[in-house]
């Protein structure tokens, strides 16, 4: 989700597309669509398509729900979903291999560690 958010926010402030309701120039792409699709894609990569179906249904609902609220254009939601899928695939490998990012407890805090094996 961090990768999706980084990509989304970078695009929002580069493109500066006005929202349909006129509330700001940060419509494109949809961050809600990107974040939820990134999560669903990571689940799909780890659990397979059967485990990810509910997550993709929920993600699609979130992306489309932004349209009647007049917060996004259809292209914002579609492109945001695409950004999320790319981000989710970027941080996961195919199959049920160990997740390459882990959180470790340290004295007085925690650390987020990324481990890449040279396969």
């Amino acid at each position: 989700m961090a990768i999706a958010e980084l990509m989304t926010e970078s695009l929002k402030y580069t493109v500066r597309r006005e929202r349909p309701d006129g509330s700001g120039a940060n419509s494109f792409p949809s961050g809600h669509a990107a974040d939820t699709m990134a999560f669903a894609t990571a689940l799909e990569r780890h659990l397979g398509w059967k485990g990810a179906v509910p997550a993709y249904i929920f993600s699609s609902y979130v992306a489309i729900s932004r349209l009647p609220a007049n917060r996004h254009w259809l292209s914002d939601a579609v492109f945001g979903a695409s950004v999320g899928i790319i981000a989710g695939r970027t941080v996961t490998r195919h199959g049920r291999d160990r997740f390459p990012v882990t959180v470790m407890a340290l004295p007085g805090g925690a650390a987020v560690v990324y481990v890449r094996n040279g396969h």
Side-chain angles (χ1 to χ4, degrees):
M1 287 179 62
I3 299 293
E5 198 59 33
L6 177 69
M7 292 168 64
T8 301
E9 292 302 318
S10 297
L11 284 167
K12 279 184 180 286
Y13 292 101
T14 301
V15 175
R16 306 288 299 161
R17 185 178 193 184
E18 188 72 28
R19 290 186 180 272
D21 65 359
S23 65
N26 59 346
S27 181
F28 181 86
S30 169
H32 285 83
D35 291 346
T36 56
M37 279 295 180
F39 183 76
T41 301
L43 282 179
E44 183 268 327
R45 301 282 282 179
H46 289 289
L47 303 177
W49 72 270
K50 289 180 183 176
V53 167
Y56 276 123
I57 290 170
F58 176 74
S59 297
S60 299
Y61 169 76
V62 169
I64 297 303
S65 73
R66 307 299 288 160
L67 303 179
N70 220 21
R71 299 292 290 166
H72 285 290
W73 305 99
L74 178 61
S75 58
D76 300 342
V78 170
F79 196 83
S82 300
V83 166
I85 290 169
I86 291 167
R89 292 181 67 85
T90 299
V91 299
T92 55
R93 288 183 266 168
H94 186 67
R96 293 186 171 111
D97 294 339
R98 265 183 70 129
F99 190 64
V101 177
T102 187
V103 178
M104 297 174 42
L106 299 173
V112 178
V113 180
Y114 173 80
V115 179
R116 179 175 174 168
N117 296 330
H119 294 284

